[in-house]
Amino acid sequence: MSEHKDLEASIPLNSMPRASDVDMDLTHGERIEVKIQDARPPSNQPKKIVIPAIIIIPIWMACSISVILYNKYVFSNLNFPFPVFLTTWHMTFSAASTRILQRTTNMVDGAKDLDISRDRWLKSILPIGALFSGSLVLSNYAYLTLSVSFIQMLKAFNPVAILLISFAFKIQEPNARLMMIVVMISVGCSLAAYGELHFEMFGFLCQCAAVAFEASRLVMIQILLHGLKMDPLVSLHYYAPVCAVINLLIIPFTEGLEPFYALHRVGILVLFSNAGIAFALNVAAVFLISVGSGLILTLAGVLKDILLITGSVLAFGSSITPLQVFGYSISLGGLIMFKTTGGK
């Protein structure tokens, strides 16, 4: 799903840059006199737009929920079961949109500060983009056979996958807190899967593979792009073209020409509005990371997940058992611990 990726298509909230990440010791112990008029930004420099948390958090939640439910609607209700094509369209739309924003606004100015050489592009951007593509495609395939609510419960396993891969690459050392988080989330997800009434092995394996790809992508970013700050739009600016090209290359072997013959089922309006909402999610994420504390953003993410599961039940009639509610509650507890401690 072009959830980019529910922020879950992009960088997780706990790893996004915050104001507290900026080194404020600019003087290095030296005394510097600054005149008031010198501290003001030049009149020709565009001012950075800041949206209050009370406004941007609901907007981000609405976009995130809408992307998932809208994609499920396209797959199921409009009978358009072509996740590779839809992901390719989303990435093509996003690649074009980020370049339009780069030329008309200052929202993608972060790309100017990054030194992406040809060698770095081949060794870092390309493999990370390939993992991103695999994550999106496999996650979308899961929506063909599994309910939105069940998939959202399985996504709670993402932190465990990240931790396990980090342990394997020795980026992090296991400790009692991390192992407790791994056990809590694993037990919770196992109970949620065991309690699923309409379990489909194909969709389950696709979602598990999507989680593995996404976790690998995030760890690769930490290893290969260490020290580089990429907000969701800058990240999309680099990865969207890679994903679009990779998907175009695999469409002939997965879906062929069938999606093009079935385009009349969705129509131009649905295609553009669907991709537009997915892109709007990334725009909202840019404003989101500059407001609120890590705890507020974590709680907002948990509330969003609960609302999404509720919305899927109301919109698609998904069934949720008491065992799943219990298991997911345990997973959420571990998820909150993971995000509020910064994954350490």
Side-chain angles (χ1 to χ4, degrees):
M1 168 98 20
S2 290
E3 302 164 50
H4 307 331
K5 191 157 165 239
D6 292 330
L7 266 177
E8 297 151 330
S10 35
I11 302 175
L13 290 179
N14 61 292
S15 65
M16 290 179 178
R18 300 183 295 274
S20 59
D21 296 331
V22 180
D23 184 4
M24 300 303 294
D25 185 18
L26 301 179
T27 63
H28 300 289
E30 301 176 8
R31 182 178 177 181
I32 297 178
E33 295 181 359
V34 180
K35 296 181 180 180
I36 295 178
Q37 60 266 31
D38 294 336
R40 296 174 182 173
S43 57
N44 61 345
Q45 182 177 345
K47 295 181 179 179
K48 184 178 181 180
I49 301 174
V50 178
I51 302 178
I54 196 172
I55 296 177
I56 191 58
I57 289 178
I59 291 176
W60 169 75
M61 291 172 62
C63 289
S64 182
I65 293 172
S66 298
V67 166
I68 297 175
L69 295 182
Y70 202 170
N71 281 0
K72 180 66 174 178
Y73 171 78
V74 170
F75 291 144
S76 301
N77 296 56
L78 297 184
N79 191 26
F80 193 79
F82 306 110
V84 179
F85 175 87
L86 194 65
T87 303
T88 305
W89 164 240
H90 282 188
M91 292 295 99
T92 302
F93 185 93
S94 295
S97 298
T98 54
R99 278 147 184 80
I100 292 173
L101 287 181
Q102 187 181 35
R103 287 166 173 75
T104 58
T105 72
N106 65 338
M107 295 182 65
V108 199
D109 282 356
K112 300 177 183 177
D113 301 326
L114 299 177
D115 180 22
I116 305 296
S117 62
R118 182 176 180 273
D119 185 62
R120 169 166 274 182
W121 189 91
L122 289 173
K123 293 181 179 180
S124 302
I125 301 299
L126 181 59
I128 292 173
L131 290 172
F132 190 27
S133 175
S135 172
L136 292 173
V137 169
L138 289 167
S139 182
N140 276 341
Y141 263 112
Y143 281 92
L144 297 180
T145 55
L146 300 181
S147 66
V148 172
S149 56
F150 184 40
I151 290 176
Q152 205 62 28
M153 293 177 187
L154 293 178
K155 284 181 180 179
F157 195 75
N158 276 9
V160 173
I162 293 172
L163 287 174
L164 294 178
I165 295 175
S166 298
F167 295 159
F169 281 90
K170 297 184 178 180
I171 298 174
Q172 280 186 303
E173 293 295 330
N175 57 51
R177 181 190 295 273
L178 291 179
M179 296 311 298
M180 182 172 64
I181 291 173
V182 168
V183 171
M184 283 182 64
I185 296 178
S186 299
V187 170
C189 289
S190 298
L191 291 175
Y194 184 76
E196 174 64 18
L197 295 177
H198 305 288
F199 183 88
E200 291 284 345
M201 182 58 71
F202 174 76
F204 176 76
L205 293 177
C206 282
Q207 184 55 41
C208 289
V211 168
F213 270 77
E214 178 65 6
S216 300
R217 180 181 76 91
L218 296 175
V219 173
M220 287 277 283
I221 287 175
Q222 187 174 351
I223 296 175
L224 299 178
L225 300 179
H226 180 70
L228 294 183
K229 295 289 186 179
M230 283 192 181
D231 65 40
L233 273 186
V234 174
S235 189
L236 201 62
H237 175 79
Y238 285 106
Y239 297 133
V242 177
C243 293
V245 172
I246 291 175
N247 289 352
L248 278 174
L249 293 176
I250 66 176
I251 279 182
F253 305 99
T254 55
E255 298 170 355
L257 296 176
E258 290 186 43
F260 300 94
Y261 296 142
L263 281 176
H264 65 278
R265 301 177 194 166
V266 292
I268 297 297
L269 180 61
V270 170
L271 281 176
F272 275 91
S273 60
N274 181 255
I277 294 175
F279 183 70
L281 173 61
N282 290 277
V283 176
V286 173
F287 294 102
L288 180 72
I289 62 178
S290 62
V291 301
S293 64
L295 178 60
I296 291 176
L297 298 182
T298 296
L299 294 178
V302 170
L303 177 59
K304 182 264 299 181
D305 291 341
I306 295 174
L307 291 176
L308 177 57
I309 291 174
T310 304
S312 70
V313 172
L314 297 176
F316 302 106
S318 305
S319 301
I320 299 178
T321 63
L323 182 60
Q324 285 184 297
V325 174
F326 177 67
Y328 189 55
S329 299
I330 296 176
S331 295
L332 283 183
L335 188 63
I336 292 174
M337 288 180 60
F338 176 78
K339 290 189 175 182
T340 53
T341 59
K344 298 179 180 179

